[in-house]
Short mmCIF file of all heavy atoms in Angstrom, two decimals:
data_model
loop_
_atom_site.label_atom_id
_atom_site.label_comp_id
_atom_site.label_asym_id
_atom_site.label_seq_id
_atom_site.Cartn_x
_atom_site.Cartn_y
_atom_site.Cartn_z
N THR A 1 -95.68 36.40 -72.67
CA THR A 1 -96.45 35.26 -73.15
C THR A 1 -95.77 34.55 -74.34
O THR A 1 -96.09 33.38 -74.61
CB THR A 1 -97.84 35.75 -73.58
OG1 THR A 1 -97.71 36.79 -74.55
CG2 THR A 1 -98.62 36.24 -72.36
N SER A 2 -94.87 35.20 -75.01
CA SER A 2 -94.12 34.55 -76.10
C SER A 2 -92.65 34.94 -76.03
O SER A 2 -92.28 35.99 -75.41
CB SER A 2 -94.72 34.98 -77.46
OG SER A 2 -94.46 36.35 -77.72
N LEU A 3 -91.84 34.16 -76.66
CA LEU A 3 -90.38 34.41 -76.66
C LEU A 3 -90.11 35.75 -77.39
O LEU A 3 -89.23 36.51 -76.98
CB LEU A 3 -89.64 33.27 -77.35
CG LEU A 3 -88.10 33.46 -77.44
CD1 LEU A 3 -87.49 33.57 -76.04
CD2 LEU A 3 -87.50 32.25 -78.19
N GLU A 4 -90.86 35.98 -78.48
CA GLU A 4 -90.65 37.20 -79.22
C GLU A 4 -90.92 38.43 -78.36
O GLU A 4 -90.15 39.41 -78.35
CB GLU A 4 -91.55 37.26 -80.47
CG GLU A 4 -91.18 36.23 -81.54
CD GLU A 4 -91.56 34.79 -81.18
OE1 GLU A 4 -92.43 34.64 -80.24
OE2 GLU A 4 -91.04 33.88 -81.79
N GLU A 5 -92.06 38.41 -77.61
CA GLU A 5 -92.37 39.55 -76.72
C GLU A 5 -91.32 39.70 -75.64
O GLU A 5 -90.99 40.80 -75.25
CB GLU A 5 -93.76 39.32 -76.09
CG GLU A 5 -94.91 39.59 -77.05
CD GLU A 5 -96.21 39.54 -76.30
OE1 GLU A 5 -96.24 39.56 -75.07
OE2 GLU A 5 -97.26 39.49 -77.01
N HIS A 6 -90.87 38.54 -75.10
CA HIS A 6 -89.90 38.61 -74.04
C HIS A 6 -88.61 39.21 -74.53
O HIS A 6 -88.00 40.03 -73.83
CB HIS A 6 -89.65 37.17 -73.49
CG HIS A 6 -88.80 37.14 -72.26
ND1 HIS A 6 -89.31 37.34 -70.98
CD2 HIS A 6 -87.45 37.02 -72.14
CE1 HIS A 6 -88.30 37.27 -70.09
NE2 HIS A 6 -87.17 37.08 -70.79
N ARG A 7 -88.18 38.85 -75.70
CA ARG A 7 -86.91 39.39 -76.24
C ARG A 7 -87.09 40.91 -76.46
O ARG A 7 -86.14 41.69 -76.26
CB ARG A 7 -86.60 38.73 -77.58
CG ARG A 7 -86.15 37.26 -77.46
CD ARG A 7 -84.92 37.11 -76.71
NE ARG A 7 -84.35 35.73 -76.80
CZ ARG A 7 -83.46 35.23 -75.98
NH1 ARG A 7 -82.95 35.96 -75.02
NH2 ARG A 7 -83.02 33.99 -76.15
N GLU A 8 -88.28 41.34 -76.84
CA GLU A 8 -88.47 42.77 -77.15
C GLU A 8 -88.72 43.62 -75.88
O GLU A 8 -88.11 44.68 -75.74
CB GLU A 8 -89.68 42.93 -78.07
CG GLU A 8 -89.91 44.35 -78.47
CD GLU A 8 -91.05 44.52 -79.50
OE1 GLU A 8 -91.64 43.45 -79.92
OE2 GLU A 8 -91.37 45.66 -79.86
N PHE A 9 -89.53 43.13 -74.97
CA PHE A 9 -89.94 43.93 -73.84
C PHE A 9 -89.26 43.50 -72.52
O PHE A 9 -89.33 44.26 -71.53
CB PHE A 9 -91.45 43.87 -73.68
CG PHE A 9 -92.18 44.39 -74.88
CD1 PHE A 9 -92.88 43.50 -75.70
CD2 PHE A 9 -92.17 45.73 -75.22
CE1 PHE A 9 -93.59 43.98 -76.82
CE2 PHE A 9 -92.88 46.20 -76.34
CZ PHE A 9 -93.58 45.32 -77.15
N GLY A 10 -88.73 42.31 -72.48
CA GLY A 10 -88.12 41.83 -71.25
C GLY A 10 -89.12 41.33 -70.23
O GLY A 10 -90.33 41.41 -70.41
N GLY A 11 -88.63 40.75 -69.14
CA GLY A 11 -89.43 40.20 -68.13
C GLY A 11 -89.30 40.96 -66.80
O GLY A 11 -88.58 41.96 -66.72
N ASN A 12 -90.05 40.55 -65.80
CA ASN A 12 -90.07 41.21 -64.52
C ASN A 12 -89.50 40.27 -63.42
O ASN A 12 -90.23 39.42 -62.92
CB ASN A 12 -91.51 41.67 -64.18
CG ASN A 12 -91.53 42.42 -62.82
OD1 ASN A 12 -90.52 42.64 -62.19
ND2 ASN A 12 -92.75 42.76 -62.39
N PRO A 13 -88.25 40.44 -63.03
CA PRO A 13 -87.67 39.55 -62.03
C PRO A 13 -88.29 39.73 -60.64
O PRO A 13 -88.17 38.82 -59.80
CB PRO A 13 -86.17 39.92 -62.03
CG PRO A 13 -86.20 41.32 -62.51
CD PRO A 13 -87.29 41.44 -63.50
N ASP A 14 -88.95 40.87 -60.43
CA ASP A 14 -89.55 41.14 -59.09
C ASP A 14 -90.67 40.18 -58.76
O ASP A 14 -90.99 39.98 -57.59
CB ASP A 14 -90.01 42.56 -58.99
CG ASP A 14 -88.89 43.56 -59.13
OD1 ASP A 14 -87.75 43.22 -58.77
OD2 ASP A 14 -89.15 44.71 -59.60
N VAL A 15 -91.29 39.59 -59.79
CA VAL A 15 -92.39 38.64 -59.56
C VAL A 15 -92.03 37.22 -60.00
O VAL A 15 -92.84 36.30 -59.80
CB VAL A 15 -93.69 39.12 -60.24
CG1 VAL A 15 -94.14 40.44 -59.71
CG2 VAL A 15 -93.51 39.18 -61.76
N ASP A 16 -90.90 37.08 -60.62
CA ASP A 16 -90.46 35.81 -61.14
C ASP A 16 -89.96 34.93 -59.96
O ASP A 16 -88.97 35.29 -59.30
CB ASP A 16 -89.36 35.98 -62.17
CG ASP A 16 -89.05 34.69 -62.89
OD1 ASP A 16 -88.17 33.95 -62.38
OD2 ASP A 16 -89.64 34.45 -63.95
N VAL A 17 -90.63 33.82 -59.71
CA VAL A 17 -90.29 33.00 -58.52
C VAL A 17 -88.93 32.35 -58.62
O VAL A 17 -88.15 32.29 -57.67
CB VAL A 17 -91.39 31.91 -58.30
CG1 VAL A 17 -90.94 30.88 -57.31
CG2 VAL A 17 -92.67 32.58 -57.83
N ALA A 18 -88.53 31.92 -59.83
CA ALA A 18 -87.22 31.32 -59.98
C ALA A 18 -86.12 32.35 -59.63
O ALA A 18 -85.13 32.00 -58.94
CB ALA A 18 -87.03 30.85 -61.43
N TYR A 19 -86.29 33.55 -60.12
CA TYR A 19 -85.30 34.58 -59.72
C TYR A 19 -85.36 34.89 -58.23
O TYR A 19 -84.31 35.06 -57.59
CB TYR A 19 -85.59 35.88 -60.49
CG TYR A 19 -84.72 37.04 -60.05
CD1 TYR A 19 -83.37 37.12 -60.47
CD2 TYR A 19 -85.19 38.00 -59.18
CE1 TYR A 19 -82.55 38.17 -60.03
CE2 TYR A 19 -84.36 39.03 -58.72
CZ TYR A 19 -83.06 39.11 -59.15
OH TYR A 19 -82.26 40.11 -58.70
N GLN A 20 -86.54 34.96 -57.68
CA GLN A 20 -86.65 35.26 -56.25
C GLN A 20 -85.95 34.17 -55.39
O GLN A 20 -85.29 34.49 -54.45
CB GLN A 20 -88.12 35.34 -55.84
CG GLN A 20 -88.85 36.55 -56.39
CD GLN A 20 -88.23 37.86 -56.00
OE1 GLN A 20 -87.85 38.04 -54.84
NE2 GLN A 20 -88.07 38.76 -56.96
N TYR A 21 -86.12 32.89 -55.81
CA TYR A 21 -85.43 31.80 -55.09
C TYR A 21 -83.91 31.98 -55.20
O TYR A 21 -83.14 31.76 -54.24
CB TYR A 21 -85.83 30.48 -55.65
CG TYR A 21 -87.15 29.95 -55.06
CD1 TYR A 21 -88.12 30.83 -54.58
CD2 TYR A 21 -87.41 28.62 -54.98
CE1 TYR A 21 -89.31 30.36 -54.10
CE2 TYR A 21 -88.59 28.11 -54.46
CZ TYR A 21 -89.52 28.99 -53.98
OH TYR A 21 -90.73 28.53 -53.47
N LEU A 22 -83.46 32.40 -56.37
CA LEU A 22 -81.98 32.54 -56.54
C LEU A 22 -81.44 33.63 -55.64
O LEU A 22 -80.31 33.56 -55.18
CB LEU A 22 -81.70 32.94 -58.03
CG LEU A 22 -81.82 31.75 -59.02
CD1 LEU A 22 -81.79 32.26 -60.43
CD2 LEU A 22 -80.75 30.71 -58.76
N THR A 23 -82.22 34.69 -55.36
CA THR A 23 -81.74 35.73 -54.44
C THR A 23 -81.48 35.22 -53.05
O THR A 23 -80.75 35.80 -52.28
CB THR A 23 -82.72 36.93 -54.36
OG1 THR A 23 -83.98 36.49 -53.79
CG2 THR A 23 -82.99 37.52 -55.75
N TYR A 24 -82.10 34.10 -52.67
CA TYR A 24 -81.90 33.50 -51.37
C TYR A 24 -80.69 32.59 -51.35
O TYR A 24 -79.96 32.44 -50.34
CB TYR A 24 -83.11 32.66 -50.93
CG TYR A 24 -84.31 33.48 -50.49
CD1 TYR A 24 -85.19 33.97 -51.42
CD2 TYR A 24 -84.54 33.74 -49.16
CE1 TYR A 24 -86.32 34.72 -51.00
CE2 TYR A 24 -85.62 34.46 -48.73
CZ TYR A 24 -86.53 34.94 -49.68
OH TYR A 24 -87.61 35.68 -49.28
N PHE A 25 -80.43 31.89 -52.47
CA PHE A 25 -79.44 30.79 -52.44
C PHE A 25 -78.15 31.10 -53.19
O PHE A 25 -77.21 30.32 -53.07
CB PHE A 25 -80.11 29.54 -53.04
CG PHE A 25 -81.22 29.01 -52.15
CD1 PHE A 25 -82.56 29.28 -52.47
CD2 PHE A 25 -80.97 28.29 -50.98
CE1 PHE A 25 -83.59 28.78 -51.69
CE2 PHE A 25 -81.99 27.82 -50.20
CZ PHE A 25 -83.29 28.08 -50.54
N VAL A 26 -78.10 32.14 -53.97
CA VAL A 26 -76.87 32.52 -54.68
C VAL A 26 -76.24 33.67 -53.89
O VAL A 26 -76.82 34.70 -53.67
CB VAL A 26 -77.15 32.97 -56.12
CG1 VAL A 26 -75.88 33.50 -56.75
CG2 VAL A 26 -77.69 31.77 -56.93
N GLU A 27 -75.02 33.45 -53.42
CA GLU A 27 -74.31 34.41 -52.58
C GLU A 27 -73.63 35.50 -53.39
O GLU A 27 -73.23 36.54 -52.84
CB GLU A 27 -73.32 33.72 -51.67
CG GLU A 27 -73.98 32.75 -50.68
CD GLU A 27 -72.96 32.16 -49.70
OE1 GLU A 27 -71.78 32.58 -49.77
OE2 GLU A 27 -73.36 31.29 -48.92
N ASP A 28 -73.42 35.27 -54.66
CA ASP A 28 -72.69 36.25 -55.53
C ASP A 28 -73.70 37.37 -55.93
O ASP A 28 -74.56 37.18 -56.76
CB ASP A 28 -72.18 35.54 -56.78
CG ASP A 28 -71.30 36.44 -57.63
OD1 ASP A 28 -71.39 37.66 -57.49
OD2 ASP A 28 -70.55 35.89 -58.48
N ASP A 29 -73.54 38.54 -55.32
CA ASP A 29 -74.42 39.67 -55.60
C ASP A 29 -74.35 40.09 -57.06
O ASP A 29 -75.36 40.49 -57.63
CB ASP A 29 -74.07 40.85 -54.71
CG ASP A 29 -74.45 40.61 -53.25
OD1 ASP A 29 -75.25 39.68 -52.99
OD2 ASP A 29 -73.92 41.33 -52.36
N LYS A 30 -73.17 39.98 -57.66
CA LYS A 30 -73.05 40.42 -59.08
C LYS A 30 -73.85 39.48 -59.98
O LYS A 30 -74.51 39.93 -60.92
CB LYS A 30 -71.59 40.40 -59.49
CG LYS A 30 -71.40 41.00 -60.90
CD LYS A 30 -69.92 41.08 -61.28
CE LYS A 30 -69.76 41.85 -62.61
NZ LYS A 30 -70.60 41.29 -63.70
N GLU A 31 -73.82 38.18 -59.70
CA GLU A 31 -74.62 37.27 -60.54
C GLU A 31 -76.10 37.59 -60.38
O GLU A 31 -76.82 37.60 -61.41
CB GLU A 31 -74.38 35.81 -60.12
CG GLU A 31 -75.23 34.85 -60.94
CD GLU A 31 -75.04 33.38 -60.53
OE1 GLU A 31 -74.21 33.09 -59.72
OE2 GLU A 31 -75.81 32.54 -61.11
N ILE A 32 -76.56 37.86 -59.18
CA ILE A 32 -77.97 38.21 -58.98
C ILE A 32 -78.31 39.48 -59.75
O ILE A 32 -79.38 39.53 -60.42
CB ILE A 32 -78.26 38.40 -57.48
CG1 ILE A 32 -78.15 37.07 -56.72
CG2 ILE A 32 -79.65 39.01 -57.26
CD1 ILE A 32 -79.13 35.98 -57.22
N GLU A 33 -77.46 40.48 -59.71
CA GLU A 33 -77.71 41.69 -60.44
C GLU A 33 -77.72 41.46 -61.93
O GLU A 33 -78.58 41.95 -62.66
CB GLU A 33 -76.62 42.73 -60.08
CG GLU A 33 -76.83 44.09 -60.78
CD GLU A 33 -75.77 45.09 -60.42
OE1 GLU A 33 -74.89 44.76 -59.59
OE2 GLU A 33 -75.78 46.18 -61.00
N ASP A 34 -76.74 40.69 -62.42
CA ASP A 34 -76.68 40.40 -63.85
C ASP A 34 -77.92 39.62 -64.34
O ASP A 34 -78.44 39.85 -65.46
CB ASP A 34 -75.43 39.59 -64.20
CG ASP A 34 -74.17 40.42 -64.05
OD1 ASP A 34 -74.25 41.66 -63.93
OD2 ASP A 34 -73.06 39.79 -63.96
N LEU A 35 -78.41 38.70 -63.52
CA LEU A 35 -79.59 37.96 -63.90
C LEU A 35 -80.83 38.89 -64.00
O LEU A 35 -81.63 38.78 -64.94
CB LEU A 35 -79.89 36.89 -62.84
CG LEU A 35 -78.99 35.66 -62.86
CD1 LEU A 35 -79.20 34.80 -61.64
CD2 LEU A 35 -79.21 34.84 -64.14
N ALA A 36 -80.94 39.81 -63.04
CA ALA A 36 -82.09 40.73 -63.04
C ALA A 36 -81.99 41.66 -64.28
O ALA A 36 -83.00 41.87 -64.97
CB ALA A 36 -82.08 41.58 -61.81
N VAL A 37 -80.81 42.20 -64.55
CA VAL A 37 -80.65 43.10 -65.68
C VAL A 37 -80.90 42.37 -67.00
O VAL A 37 -81.61 42.85 -67.85
CB VAL A 37 -79.22 43.70 -65.66
CG1 VAL A 37 -78.96 44.47 -66.97
CG2 VAL A 37 -79.04 44.64 -64.48
N GLY A 38 -80.33 41.18 -67.11
CA GLY A 38 -80.51 40.38 -68.34
C GLY A 38 -81.96 39.97 -68.58
O GLY A 38 -82.46 39.96 -69.70
N TYR A 39 -82.66 39.70 -67.49
CA TYR A 39 -84.08 39.31 -67.60
C TYR A 39 -84.92 40.52 -68.01
O TYR A 39 -85.80 40.36 -68.87
CB TYR A 39 -84.53 38.78 -66.22
CG TYR A 39 -85.78 37.90 -66.28
CD1 TYR A 39 -85.79 36.74 -67.03
CD2 TYR A 39 -86.92 38.25 -65.59
CE1 TYR A 39 -86.94 35.94 -67.08
CE2 TYR A 39 -88.06 37.47 -65.60
CZ TYR A 39 -88.04 36.33 -66.35
OH TYR A 39 -89.18 35.53 -66.38
N ARG A 40 -84.64 41.67 -67.43
CA ARG A 40 -85.40 42.86 -67.80
C ARG A 40 -85.18 43.25 -69.26
O ARG A 40 -86.10 43.79 -69.91
CB ARG A 40 -85.06 44.01 -66.86
CG ARG A 40 -85.59 43.89 -65.46
CD ARG A 40 -85.47 45.20 -64.68
NE ARG A 40 -86.11 45.12 -63.38
CZ ARG A 40 -85.47 44.83 -62.24
NH1 ARG A 40 -84.17 44.60 -62.25
NH2 ARG A 40 -86.17 44.76 -61.14
N LYS A 41 -83.97 43.00 -69.77
CA LYS A 41 -83.69 43.33 -71.13
C LYS A 41 -84.15 42.29 -72.13
O LYS A 41 -84.10 42.51 -73.35
CB LYS A 41 -82.13 43.52 -71.30
CG LYS A 41 -81.59 44.74 -70.63
CD LYS A 41 -80.08 44.84 -70.88
CE LYS A 41 -79.49 46.11 -70.28
NZ LYS A 41 -78.01 46.19 -70.52
N GLY A 42 -84.58 41.15 -71.64
CA GLY A 42 -85.00 40.05 -72.50
C GLY A 42 -83.87 39.19 -72.98
O GLY A 42 -84.05 38.31 -73.82
N GLU A 43 -82.66 39.43 -72.46
CA GLU A 43 -81.50 38.66 -72.88
C GLU A 43 -81.51 37.27 -72.23
O GLU A 43 -80.95 36.31 -72.75
CB GLU A 43 -80.22 39.40 -72.52
CG GLU A 43 -80.05 40.73 -73.25
CD GLU A 43 -78.91 41.56 -72.70
OE1 GLU A 43 -78.31 41.14 -71.67
OE2 GLU A 43 -78.60 42.61 -73.29
#
């Protein structure tokens, strides 16, 4: 709900629609993995 919380606790890419769309249209598996990891860490 806030940037501070997101930086501390991270987000959930499994329900994030923008991330889900990227898994369909980005062919680079490493980029998809890095996005998920970075999102979960709040980076």
Side-chain angles (χ1 to χ4, degrees):
T1 55
S2 69
L3 179 60
E4 291 74 18
E5 285 187 13
H6 187 84
R7 291 296 190 195
E8 182 176 358
F9 301 108
N12 181 3
D14 296 332
V15 299
D16 189 272
V17 168
Y19 174 79
Q20 292 302 316
Y21 276 29
L22 288 169
T23 65
Y24 285 84
F25 294 100
V26 173
E27 296 185 5
D28 187 341
D29 290 342
K30 187 176 187 308
E31 179 182 354
I32 292 299
E33 182 181 356
D34 290 345
L35 286 169
V37 171
Y39 200 61
R40 287 192 174 96
K41 289 181 177 180
E43 297 170 354

